[in-house]
Amino acid sequence: MFKAGAERLGIAQPPLSRAIGRLERRMSVQLFERTSRRVGLTAAGAVFLAECRKVLTAVDTAVSRAQRSGRPHRLTVAALRGTGSGLPAGVLRSYRRRPGAADVDVVFARDQVDFVRNGSADFALTCGHEGLEGVEFTELAQERTVALLPVDHFRAAKSAISSADLASEGIFRPDWPEGTLDEIIDQVAMGAMIVMVGASATDRIGTAVVAVPVTDVPLTQLVLTWGPGIPAATRNAFVRTAKNVTAKHVSAAGSSEDSARRTVRTTRWRPR
């Protein structure tokens, strides 16, 4: 362990061993168990390691936030890859048209909330309230939850579907898969998976995928999160823009979803 640690630090092993020994004497606690066969953390060492990682994360966050505060009137928004023609893009376009809008940078991340939490981003648009500890947030809208199915699936012509129906499908993925929204829609179209999403995603599905409302799951909450240090006027303008755009987007998505479902039923059941 010490040899590998010394290599990562770019120093020789003896100085590292002496430094750890001095640290243990100063703390009056043994951090490592040393035998002729192995070196491992003691219980105290494991606790110290976990707490040190928290400190380092906090330092990284402080540096990121300080650097952003030194660039006045500029925002960073975290987004999922593959959402360039969806709701986040609509919010950004509308915000940038506002008089006095701040310059906006976009960073792509799978877990956008973590980017807000660690100071890498100012805002993120997410679904649901889980994992929002340490950030401010507001609910933008609620929307129906729909299942995305291949157009030739025998349930695609139904007006609604239950979670039990979905659970019986071998290709149903209850957890959101890895990949962009476009990649996941392609997988659905090719019959490789079935997933649940908020209805606002239905403007992206094309003609090979069908959105069917799920009857017995809660509405999906669209949530805007943000971190500290954003000027109040800038923050409020961005939040207002996000709420206005989201309300219109969700309303339009519901209409397009109903239209798409009617089209599928007509296509599948047309007499020959």
Side-chain angles (χ1 to χ4, degrees):
M1 178 182 287
F2 286 178
K3 181 180 179 181
E7 289 176 351
R8 290 182 63 184
L9 293 171
I11 62 175
Q13 182 177 339
L16 177 60
S17 299
R18 290 194 295 269
I20 292 173
R22 289 194 298 270
L23 178 62
E24 289 177 321
R25 290 191 294 274
R26 173 175 289 187
M27 295 178 61
S28 299
V29 66
Q30 185 176 349
L31 302 176
F32 291 90
E33 291 179 352
R34 303 165 176 83
T35 69
S36 59
R37 301 185 63 180
R38 64 181 296 274
V39 176
L41 288 170
T42 63
V47 170
F48 187 62
L49 175 61
E51 295 301 318
C52 285
R53 283 175 171 162
K54 293 178 184 178
V55 171
L56 292 174
T57 298
V59 170
D60 289 341
T61 299
V63 170
S64 294
R65 289 176 176 167
Q67 288 172 334
R68 287 204 328 277
S69 69
R71 300 192 297 268
H73 213 54
R74 192 173 195 90
L75 296 175
T76 300
V77 177
L80 281 172
R81 291 190 182 277
T83 56
S85 61
L87 178 57
V91 172
L92 292 180
R93 285 194 298 269
S94 182
Y95 173 74
R96 285 171 172 143
R97 290 195 293 266
R98 293 180 66 101
D103 292 334
V104 179
D105 296 322
V106 178
V107 293
F108 292 103
R110 177 167 174 78
D111 193 336
Q112 308 100 294
V113 177
D114 271 354
F115 269 53
V116 173
R117 187 179 293 112
N118 67 28
S120 298
D122 296 296
F123 286 101
L125 184 65
T126 63
C127 293
H129 294 91
E130 293 184 5
L132 300 184
E133 300 82 7
V135 299
E136 299 290 332
F137 64 91
T138 187
E139 186 175 293
L140 299 176
Q142 293 184 331
E143 60 179 358
R144 287 189 295 181
T145 300
V146 299
L148 300 185
L149 300 96
V151 69
D152 59 351
H153 193 278
F154 76 97
R155 298 187 194 274
K158 291 183 173 294
S159 60
I161 193 170
S162 71
S163 56
D165 292 333
L166 293 173
S168 69
E169 295 288 341
I171 59 174
F172 174 58
R173 299 284 295 273
D175 298 320
W176 190 247
E178 293 282 347
T180 68
L181 178 59
D182 289 337
E183 290 170 343
I184 291 166
I185 289 173
D186 283 344
Q187 292 280 342
V188 174
M190 291 184 285
M193 68 173 67
I194 294 171
V195 296
M196 289 192 297
V197 298
S200 61
T202 58
D203 61 350
R204 307 283 299 283
I205 62 178
T207 59
V209 174
V210 177
V212 180
V214 184
T215 58
D216 55 350
V217 299
L219 294 174
T220 298
Q221 288 82 30
L222 296 176
V223 177
L224 181 69
T225 67
W226 64 88
I230 307 170
T234 301
R235 180 195 63 223
N236 294 341
F238 194 91
V239 171
R240 283 195 298 270
T241 302
K243 287 185 174 182
N244 291 337
V245 173
T246 302
K248 296 175 183 177
H249 191 87
V250 169
S251 176
S255 299
S256 65
E257 172 201 339
D258 293 338
S259 174
R261 220 169 42 253
R262 286 194 299 270
T263 300
V264 169
R265 285 202 294 273
T266 301
T267 301
R268 292 196 65 188
W269 299 107
R270 181 182 300 146
R272 295 183 180 274

